[in-house]
Amino acid sequence: MTVEAIRGSSDRSVLVLTSLAGGPKHGYALIKDIEQFAGIELGAGTLYGCLSKLEASGLVEPLPSEGRRHPYRITAAGLVAIEERLSASARIARIGLQRIAAAT
Amino acid sequence: MRPNRWIHAALRAYPQAWRARYESEVLDLALELREERGVGEYHIALGLLFNAPRAWWRQRRTLGHRRMFAGVGLALAGTAATLAALLVPASPAGSSPFRVVSGAMAPTLKLNEVVHVTPLSSSASLASGQIVVFRNPPTLSCGERH
């Protein structure tokens, strides 16, 4: 599984994978982390929509439940996918910022 | 009132397989969101309802995508075949196929050969048993010239 699994998907998948790249998290911890680093508050429906898609793609996997909390972790394929996706985004951002700087 | 009544109702909009896998987790998360942040039940239920169509769409793609693509492929092939049958004539326009039932015209027309006959007049009707006079095609190369 490569970046193809998240290509064309919304930024929400990228946010979830980026959050899980920092370590396993359960749903509420994911929401808090994403809010902290991206300023975006995901709802339960949106979050589990992403998690189900990413799990079906083999990019995340569930860990044993801790009471009422259900943690997930990123898989090796997920790490490759998010690294490729973020590298591409960083490249575009760098070029865009250079051009903006040149234009001003 | 039953707790999470609206959330349960919203979850019923999801595919059965999705509910079997994620329903309890979503309910636990909803409970935590309500306790920790005071998020309203309606708000969570609306968010779930909004995302339900995507779950159905993904289920179609993941569980039945091969069957679906095969069906789409068959439908496209059928459409292409139908269009080809309609647009590409099996015989020259306006012609009718006739089988040569006699060897009397050999070697020009051999027994059991099929010829496509185009009437010179649009009002002319042809039927088996009628005598047809052929004109030598002036420009077409139909094999041996006579």
Side-chain angles (χ1 to χ4, degrees):
Chain A
M1 196 70 66
T2 66
V3 76
E4 289 297 330
I6 55 171
R7 177 166 290 162
S9 63
S10 68
D11 289 339
R12 294 183 293 266
S13 297
V14 175
L15 293 175
V16 170
L17 287 174
T18 302
S19 179
L20 290 177
K25 292 178 187 69
H26 55 81
Y28 186 59
L30 274 168
I31 289 173
K32 280 200 300 185
D33 186 46
I34 289 168
E35 194 173 5
Q36 198 170 21
F37 74 76
I40 294 170
E41 185 180 345
L42 298 184
T46 306
L47 177 65
Y48 269 91
C50 283
L51 283 174
S52 59
K53 184 176 76 173
L54 293 171
E55 187 183 357
S57 302
L59 302 182
V60 304
E61 62 188 4
L63 293 172
S65 296
E66 301 161 354
R68 71 179 188 186
R69 290 177 164 173
H70 310 276
Y72 285 81
R73 75 175 165 203
I74 193 167
T75 62
L79 282 171
V80 171
I82 193 62
E83 186 184 8
E84 288 182 28
R85 174 70 178 258
L86 292 178
S87 297
S89 298
R91 193 165 55 247
I92 293 167
R94 191 175 61 250
I95 292 169
L97 289 171
Q98 284 172 355
R99 290 180 180 180
I100 290 167
T104 54
Chain B
M1 183 181 286
R2 184 180 164 198
N4 291 332
R5 178 172 171 239
W6 293 105
I7 296 173
H8 277 287
L11 284 168
R12 278 199 283 274
Y14 281 75
Q16 186 63 40
W18 195 98
R19 288 174 61 189
R21 169 67 184 84
Y22 297 106
E23 186 174 63
S24 64
E25 293 189 23
V26 171
L27 288 171
D28 286 338
L29 176 60
L31 186 64
E32 197 161 8
L33 284 170
R34 293 173 68 184
E35 286 176 358
E36 298 290 330
R37 300 192 164 198
V39 179
E41 188 183 343
Y42 298 113
H43 185 80
I44 297 170
L46 275 176
L48 287 168
L49 272 179
F50 182 77
N51 284 280
R54 292 178 189 166
W56 280 102
W57 173 242
R58 274 196 294 274
Q59 177 179 271
R60 285 171 62 92
R61 287 178 63 191
T62 53
L63 297 180
H65 72 286
R66 285 186 185 172
R67 207 168 23 190
M68 187 177 74
F69 287 135
V72 170
L74 277 175
L76 286 175
T79 304
T82 305
L83 283 174
L86 289 172
L87 297 176
V88 180
S91 55
S95 71
S96 303
F98 289 89
R99 183 174 295 281
V100 178
V101 294
S102 165
M105 289 179 283
T108 304
L109 294 175
K110 299 187 180 86
L111 186 65
N112 288 327
E113 275 186 340
V114 175
V115 293
H116 287 278
V117 178
T118 304
L120 296 175
S121 166
S122 60
S123 60
S125 60
L126 291 169
S128 293
Q130 288 184 321
I131 297 172
V132 179
V133 178
F134 295 95
R135 187 174 61 185
N136 189 32
T139 54
L140 295 176
S141 173
C142 301
E144 189 180 353
R145 285 191 167 230
H146 298 285

